[in-house]
Amino acid sequence: MEPSKRHPRWAEVAPEQWNDWRWQVSHSLKNADDLADFMQCSEGQREEVRRLSRNFRFALTPYYASLIDLNDPDDPVGLQAFPQSMELVSAPEEEQDHIGEEHYSPVKRIVHRYPDRVLFILTEQCSFYCRFCTRRRIVGGGMHGEYLDEIQEAITYIAETPQIRDVLISGGDPFVYADEKLEGVLAKLRAIEHVEIIRFGTRVPVVIPMRITSELCSMLRKYHPIYVNTHFNHPREITPESAAACARLADAGMPLGNQTVLMRGVNDCPVVMKKLVHELLKIRVRPYYLYQADLAPGTKHFRAPISKGIEIIESLRGHTTGFAVPNFVVDMVGGGGKVPIAPNYVVSQAPGKWVLRNFEGFMSTYTEPDDYEDRCPEKCGASHATPSTNGKVQSVASLLRSRAPAMKAKGRQQTAAAARVRAVRQGT
Ligand SMILES: *Cc1c(COP(=O)(O)O)cnc(C)c1O
Ligand code: SF4
């Protein structure tokens, strides 16, 4: 396939340089004036960009910059890349730690929100800073620190916590890390017996696909099972280069998923989203999550209503391949974690009988067996409750299985992780 068009500014760059991620990183637009030149700003706008640069980091790779249509002020790729004055305005509902991650951080770089898996924030650096980033409070900070002690402390926490069977390495962007350093971390994680799977969350295949080298892939495949989740938001981000990067990862045996953030003016449209999920399947990437935009400070101009997400799922489910349909999730304010939201397909219910509707609006009934006995194939019976550390009702799933008629009324139940956070804070 023909390579993607380059912006005239880089038309003369030799292909060996253009296709070298190091060249892309060292030629990224990082300061306000470079960016303002590229955006063809007026003097007033240039002042604005300078003002914004004091608050937020920029980095725009020549590759990703070339995907922007500079003649279109509403270009969906440009909107993700160019700073806007609205970023300096925080809406009242926006808070710095809006998803409550700090409450669940037992040690630096680890967020242990769910019982059996952790988020491992390997680095604050990204090769491109998305204007809507939910982790704006941390990314781009810390500059070029190495944080080897913190990384070791995070690995030690994982090693000492046997419930953790799944480690999600994210950031920032973990693939900005050099291969050898990444391998050091992977080797240590793989040496931990209870770590079953390792996954990466990365935007590298979208913004600097040349970083997915065959060397990186051969290194990663030594540590299987590894899953990679990438982050395409618009069909225009799928190019011969990003497709090739995904092919290299998939050929090295990594199942690929994608998360998309629902964004006003970028992809808040069933037609755009259907095109995106179809294009993703063509490059062997399976849509995983569609995120309702978080309440990150200065991002209100990107947010669409939750109802738009439901409308999009309604337009996909049944209308296209089942596994092209992502789960639409909202990350709850207050540290509640991700909650899936879907259109209602259950129209009504009576004992033994359900009325369901399909994507076309057709309705029919499902009759449940009248002789069903709740017996577990493992013969563990009703005691087969969702694991709870202290025998108390700790989730809706365990409520269904226990004799207790209600959860404790006072506050949310504490997870083991939250208890551990408190212990760490109190220095016990
Ligand atoms: C999203 C997330 C995970 C992973 O969640 P899955 O639903 O398993 O993909 C883990 N930890 C944190 C803190 C997260 O935000
Ligand atoms: S790549 Fe991810 S962490 Fe980095 S700026 Fe974009 S959304 Fe934020």
Side-chain angles (χ1 to χ4, degrees):
M1 261 193 291
E2 283 285 295
S4 312
K5 270 217 198 84
R6 297 188 203 170
H7 183 271
R9 176 184 179 134
W10 298 293
E12 303 304 321
V13 176
E16 309 80 70
Q17 291 191 309
W18 182 260
N19 295 322
D20 180 347
W21 63 273
R22 291 175 192 87
W23 183 91
Q24 290 279 339
V25 169
S26 59
H27 290 79
S28 288
L29 306 175
K30 288 191 177 126
N31 71 53
D33 284 310
D34 276 355
L35 198 63
D37 286 343
F38 183 79
M39 290 166 70
Q40 301 159 351
C41 283
S42 66
E43 262 323 299
Q45 288 168 319
R46 178 181 298 270
E47 223 10 82
E48 194 74 19
V49 175
R50 285 195 188 127
R51 214 150 59 84
L52 281 154
S53 72
R54 282 177 225 128
N55 287 268
F56 303 110
R57 233 167 129 195
F58 303 142
L60 181 55
T61 56
Y63 162 80
Y64 196 72
S66 297
L67 302 183
I68 299 169
D69 178 356
L70 290 166
N71 297 317
D72 178 2
D74 299 323
D75 181 61
V77 183
L79 281 179
Q80 298 181 59
F82 292 151
Q84 296 180 57
S85 51
M86 279 97 96
E87 290 177 35
L88 292 170
V89 183
S90 278
E93 65 273 21
E94 296 169 345
E95 307 166 49
Q96 288 288 331
D97 183 21
H98 47 91
I99 47 179
E101 286 189 337
E102 260 144 43
H103 187 69
Y104 288 98
S105 181
V107 295
K108 281 199 181 134
R109 302 190 172 274
I110 293 284
V111 183
H112 192 174
R113 173 62 187 85
Y114 300 100
D116 66 343
R117 54 206 189 281
V118 290
L119 173 67
F120 183 175
I121 299 171
L122 189 60
T123 170
E124 281 77 22
Q125 312 299 309
C126 298
S127 35
F128 164 73
Y129 292 97
C130 313
R131 302 324 306 164
F132 54 87
C133 179
T134 190
R135 300 191 198 287
R136 303 162 73 80
R137 89 194 130 82
I138 54 165
V139 299
M143 301 304 279
H144 301 290
E146 290 278 327
Y147 304 110
L148 294 177
D149 297 350
E150 290 177 15
I151 288 170
Q152 186 50 54
E153 206 190 336
I155 295 171
T156 305
Y157 174 79
I158 296 168
E160 288 175 353
T161 315
Q163 305 90 290
I164 301 171
R165 37 161 292 287
D166 170 4
V167 178
L168 165 53
I169 306 178
S170 185
D173 200 315
F175 286 167
V176 302
Y177 237 52
D179 292 9
E180 314 79 64
K181 288 192 204 152
L182 208 50
E183 177 153 24
V185 171
L186 284 174
K188 284 183 185 167
L189 288 176
R190 260 291 155 254
I192 302 170
E193 214 166 307
H194 54 262
V195 173
E196 296 171 3
I197 61 168
I198 297 172
R199 27 176 183 161
F200 283 97
T202 175
R203 224 182 165 214
V204 156
V206 186
V207 296
I208 180 165
M210 32 310 258
R211 169 67 186 99
I212 308 296
T213 58
S214 42
E215 293 77 26
L216 174 67
C217 295
S218 334
M219 184 279 281
L220 292 173
R221 72 182 308 162
K222 289 194 271 174
Y223 300 94
H224 272 320
I226 291 190
Y227 290 72
V228 175
N229 242 350
T230 179
H231 179 169
F232 288 93
N233 289 321
H234 191 276
R236 281 241 316 280
E237 295 174 331
I238 300 174
T239 63
E241 292 82 3
S242 59
C246 291
R248 287 191 287 275
L249 289 166
D251 288 347
M254 277 159 276
L256 302 179
N258 184 66
Q259 45 200 50
T260 295
V261 180
L262 178 61
M263 272 182 284
R264 200 191 301 185
V266 176
N267 55 21
D268 54 341
C269 158
V271 178
V272 172
M273 210 59 99
K274 190 182 273 182
K275 171 110 170 123
L276 175 63
V277 297
H278 285 167
E279 293 299 320
L280 285 169
L281 291 189
K282 281 160 69 182
I283 60 168
R284 286 187 278 170
V285 176
R286 191 172 157 173
Y288 179 53
Y289 279 143
L290 171 63
Y291 275 103
Q292 174 64 16
D294 284 330
L295 301 179
T299 60
K300 184 176 172 191
H301 55 291
F302 276 125
R303 284 201 290 282
I306 289 179
S307 53
K308 184 50 79 174
I310 298 204
E311 180 193 342
I312 287 168
I313 301 301
E314 183 76 68
S315 78
L316 296 175
R317 173 64 65 201
H319 297 276
T320 192
T321 310
F323 60 83
V325 186
N327 289 302
F328 177 45
V329 291
V330 180
D331 219 333
M332 278 174 80
V333 167
K338 297 182 189 68
V339 179
I341 299 197
N344 290 321
Y345 295 99
V346 174
V347 174
S348 200
Q349 226 189 313
K353 201 160 190 177
W354 293 72
V355 180
L356 307 174
R357 61 107 178 165
N358 77 352
F359 69 105
E360 297 158 312
F362 168 76
M363 283 188 273
S364 72
T365 59
Y366 181 90
T367 305
E368 292 179 330
D370 58 7
D371 60 349
Y372 179 72
E373 260 181 77
D374 197 356
R375 260 189 315 129
C376 167
E378 296 293 326
K379 308 277 185 285
C380 54
S383 66
H384 181 45
T386 320
S388 77
T389 40
N390 53 9
K392 295 211 184 88
V393 178
Q394 284 189 319
S395 68
V396 176
S398 59
L399 197 53
L400 285 171
R401 283 289 192 171
S402 98
R403 270 180 228 279
M407 295 174 104
K408 270 224 194 93
K410 253 201 280 156
R412 256 185 303 123
Q413 302 288 328
Q414 295 291 342
T415 63
R420 182 149 179 158
V421 174
R422 258 182 290 120
V424 168
R425 291 235 165 105
Q426 288 157 10
T428 48

Short mmCIF file of all heavy atoms in Angstrom, two decimals, residues 124-136 139 170-173 202-204 207 231 261, ligand 2:
data_model
loop_
_atom_site.label_atom_id
_atom_site.label_comp_id
_atom_site.label_asym_id
_atom_site.label_seq_id
_atom_site.Cartn_x
_atom_site.Cartn_y
_atom_site.Cartn_z
N GLU A 124 5.21 8.18 32.97
CA GLU A 124 4.29 9.32 32.74
C GLU A 124 4.45 9.87 31.33
O GLU A 124 3.74 10.78 30.94
CB GLU A 124 4.60 10.46 33.72
CG GLU A 124 4.04 10.24 35.11
CD GLU A 124 4.86 9.26 35.91
OE1 GLU A 124 6.05 9.05 35.59
OE2 GLU A 124 4.30 8.68 36.85
N GLN A 125 5.43 9.34 30.60
CA GLN A 125 5.71 9.91 29.28
C GLN A 125 4.81 9.29 28.21
O GLN A 125 4.44 8.13 28.29
CB GLN A 125 7.17 9.63 28.87
CG GLN A 125 8.18 9.97 29.94
CD GLN A 125 8.16 11.42 30.32
OE1 GLN A 125 8.24 12.28 29.45
NE2 GLN A 125 8.03 11.71 31.60
N CYS A 126 4.52 10.09 27.19
CA CYS A 126 3.82 9.59 26.00
C CYS A 126 4.57 10.13 24.80
O CYS A 126 5.31 11.10 24.93
CB CYS A 126 2.38 10.08 25.95
SG CYS A 126 1.40 9.51 27.35
N SER A 127 4.36 9.52 23.64
CA SER A 127 5.03 10.07 22.46
C SER A 127 4.16 11.14 21.82
O SER A 127 4.58 11.83 20.91
CB SER A 127 5.35 8.96 21.47
OG SER A 127 4.35 7.99 21.49
N PHE A 128 2.93 11.23 22.32
CA PHE A 128 1.99 12.23 21.82
C PHE A 128 1.06 12.51 22.98
O PHE A 128 0.62 11.58 23.64
CB PHE A 128 1.22 11.64 20.63
CG PHE A 128 -0.03 12.40 20.26
CD1 PHE A 128 0.08 13.63 19.63
CD2 PHE A 128 -1.29 11.91 20.54
CE1 PHE A 128 -1.07 14.35 19.30
CE2 PHE A 128 -2.44 12.61 20.21
CZ PHE A 128 -2.32 13.83 19.58
N TYR A 129 0.78 13.78 23.27
CA TYR A 129 -0.12 14.09 24.39
C TYR A 129 -1.49 14.44 23.86
O TYR A 129 -1.67 15.46 23.20
CB TYR A 129 0.48 15.19 25.26
CG TYR A 129 1.72 14.67 25.96
CD1 TYR A 129 2.98 14.91 25.45
CD2 TYR A 129 1.59 13.86 27.08
CE1 TYR A 129 4.11 14.37 26.05
CE2 TYR A 129 2.71 13.30 27.69
CZ TYR A 129 3.96 13.57 27.17
OH TYR A 129 5.07 13.02 27.75
N CYS A 130 -2.45 13.55 24.16
CA CYS A 130 -3.81 13.74 23.66
C CYS A 130 -4.47 14.86 24.45
O CYS A 130 -4.34 14.91 25.67
CB CYS A 130 -4.61 12.46 23.85
SG CYS A 130 -3.73 10.99 23.29
N ARG A 131 -5.16 15.71 23.74
CA ARG A 131 -5.75 16.88 24.42
C ARG A 131 -6.82 16.49 25.43
O ARG A 131 -7.13 17.25 26.32
CB ARG A 131 -6.36 17.85 23.39
CG ARG A 131 -5.45 18.39 22.33
CD ARG A 131 -4.04 18.68 22.76
NE ARG A 131 -3.89 19.54 23.91
CZ ARG A 131 -2.76 19.66 24.61
NH1 ARG A 131 -1.71 18.98 24.30
NH2 ARG A 131 -2.72 20.46 25.64
N PHE A 132 -7.40 15.32 25.29
CA PHE A 132 -8.52 14.92 26.14
C PHE A 132 -8.08 13.98 27.25
O PHE A 132 -8.90 13.42 27.95
CB PHE A 132 -9.56 14.18 25.28
CG PHE A 132 -8.93 13.04 24.52
CD1 PHE A 132 -8.81 11.80 25.08
CD2 PHE A 132 -8.40 13.26 23.26
CE1 PHE A 132 -8.17 10.77 24.40
CE2 PHE A 132 -7.77 12.23 22.57
CZ PHE A 132 -7.66 10.99 23.15
N CYS A 133 -6.77 13.81 27.41
CA CYS A 133 -6.26 12.73 28.27
C CYS A 133 -6.87 12.75 29.67
O CYS A 133 -6.89 13.76 30.35
CB CYS A 133 -4.75 12.82 28.39
SG CYS A 133 -4.09 11.55 29.47
N THR A 134 -7.31 11.56 30.10
CA THR A 134 -7.93 11.43 31.40
C THR A 134 -6.88 11.47 32.52
O THR A 134 -7.19 11.75 33.66
CB THR A 134 -8.76 10.13 31.44
OG1 THR A 134 -9.53 10.14 32.61
CG2 THR A 134 -7.89 8.90 31.42
N ARG A 135 -5.64 11.18 32.17
CA ARG A 135 -4.58 11.21 33.17
C ARG A 135 -3.75 12.48 33.06
O ARG A 135 -2.55 12.47 33.31
CB ARG A 135 -3.68 9.99 33.01
CG ARG A 135 -4.40 8.70 33.18
CD ARG A 135 -3.48 7.52 33.29
NE ARG A 135 -4.21 6.31 33.02
CZ ARG A 135 -5.09 5.79 33.86
NH1 ARG A 135 -5.30 6.33 35.02
NH2 ARG A 135 -5.75 4.72 33.52
N ARG A 136 -4.41 13.57 32.66
CA ARG A 136 -3.68 14.82 32.50
C ARG A 136 -2.95 15.21 33.76
O ARG A 136 -1.97 15.91 33.71
CB ARG A 136 -4.65 15.97 32.19
CG ARG A 136 -5.48 15.75 30.99
CD ARG A 136 -6.67 16.67 30.99
NE ARG A 136 -6.35 18.05 30.68
CZ ARG A 136 -6.15 18.56 29.48
NH1 ARG A 136 -6.17 17.84 28.45
NH2 ARG A 136 -5.91 19.81 29.31
N VAL A 139 0.32 12.64 33.35
CA VAL A 139 1.17 12.45 32.18
C VAL A 139 1.95 13.71 31.85
O VAL A 139 1.51 14.81 32.09
CB VAL A 139 0.43 11.98 30.89
CG1 VAL A 139 -0.24 10.65 31.08
CG2 VAL A 139 -0.49 13.03 30.36
N SER A 170 0.40 0.32 31.81
CA SER A 170 -0.04 1.46 31.01
C SER A 170 0.75 2.68 31.43
O SER A 170 1.88 2.57 31.88
CB SER A 170 -1.55 1.63 31.21
OG SER A 170 -2.02 2.64 30.37
N GLY A 171 0.17 3.84 31.29
CA GLY A 171 0.95 5.04 31.63
C GLY A 171 0.06 6.26 31.68
O GLY A 171 -1.05 6.18 32.18
N GLY A 172 0.56 7.26 31.07
CA GLY A 172 1.58 7.37 30.05
C GLY A 172 1.47 6.25 29.01
O GLY A 172 0.47 5.63 28.84
N ASP A 173 2.55 6.09 28.31
CA ASP A 173 2.57 5.04 27.29
C ASP A 173 3.77 4.14 27.49
O ASP A 173 4.91 4.56 27.31
CB ASP A 173 2.60 5.67 25.89
CG ASP A 173 2.12 4.67 24.85
OD1 ASP A 173 2.58 3.52 24.91
OD2 ASP A 173 1.30 5.05 23.99
N THR A 202 -1.65 1.07 25.15
CA THR A 202 -0.71 1.94 24.43
C THR A 202 -1.36 2.67 23.27
O THR A 202 -2.24 2.12 22.59
CB THR A 202 0.48 1.11 23.88
OG1 THR A 202 1.31 1.97 23.09
CG2 THR A 202 0.02 -0.05 23.00
N ARG A 203 -0.90 3.88 23.04
CA ARG A 203 -1.37 4.60 21.85
C ARG A 203 -0.29 4.63 20.77
O ARG A 203 -0.47 5.25 19.72
CB ARG A 203 -1.77 6.03 22.25
CG ARG A 203 -3.08 6.36 21.57
CD ARG A 203 -3.66 7.69 21.76
NE ARG A 203 -4.67 7.76 20.71
CZ ARG A 203 -5.03 8.82 20.05
NH1 ARG A 203 -4.52 9.98 20.36
NH2 ARG A 203 -5.91 8.75 19.07
N VAL A 204 0.81 3.97 21.03
CA VAL A 204 1.93 3.99 20.08
C VAL A 204 1.54 3.52 18.67
O VAL A 204 1.92 4.17 17.68
CB VAL A 204 3.14 3.20 20.66
CG1 VAL A 204 4.05 2.69 19.57
CG2 VAL A 204 3.91 4.11 21.61
N VAL A 207 -0.03 6.70 17.05
CA VAL A 207 0.65 7.99 16.91
C VAL A 207 2.10 7.90 16.45
O VAL A 207 2.66 8.88 15.96
CB VAL A 207 0.56 8.82 18.22
CG1 VAL A 207 -0.89 9.16 18.51
CG2 VAL A 207 1.18 8.10 19.40
N HIS A 231 -5.49 2.29 21.05
CA HIS A 231 -6.42 3.39 21.30
C HIS A 231 -6.64 4.21 20.02
O HIS A 231 -6.06 5.28 19.86
CB HIS A 231 -5.81 4.21 22.45
CG HIS A 231 -6.61 5.42 22.86
ND1 HIS A 231 -6.32 6.13 24.01
CD2 HIS A 231 -7.66 6.04 22.30
CE1 HIS A 231 -7.17 7.13 24.12
NE2 HIS A 231 -7.99 7.11 23.10
N VAL A 261 -12.31 6.61 23.09
CA VAL A 261 -13.00 7.56 23.96
C VAL A 261 -14.06 8.27 23.12
O VAL A 261 -13.75 8.77 22.04
CB VAL A 261 -12.02 8.60 24.56
CG1 VAL A 261 -12.75 9.58 25.45
CG2 VAL A 261 -10.91 7.90 25.34
S1 SF4 B 2 -1.45 8.33 25.02
FE1 SF4 B 2 -2.90 7.87 26.69
S2 SF4 B 2 -1.87 8.58 28.57
FE2 SF4 B 2 -0.82 9.53 26.82
S3 SF4 B 2 -1.82 11.51 26.53
FE3 SF4 B 2 -2.87 10.06 25.20
S4 SF4 B 2 -4.64 9.32 26.40
FE4 SF4 B 2 -3.16 10.27 27.84
#
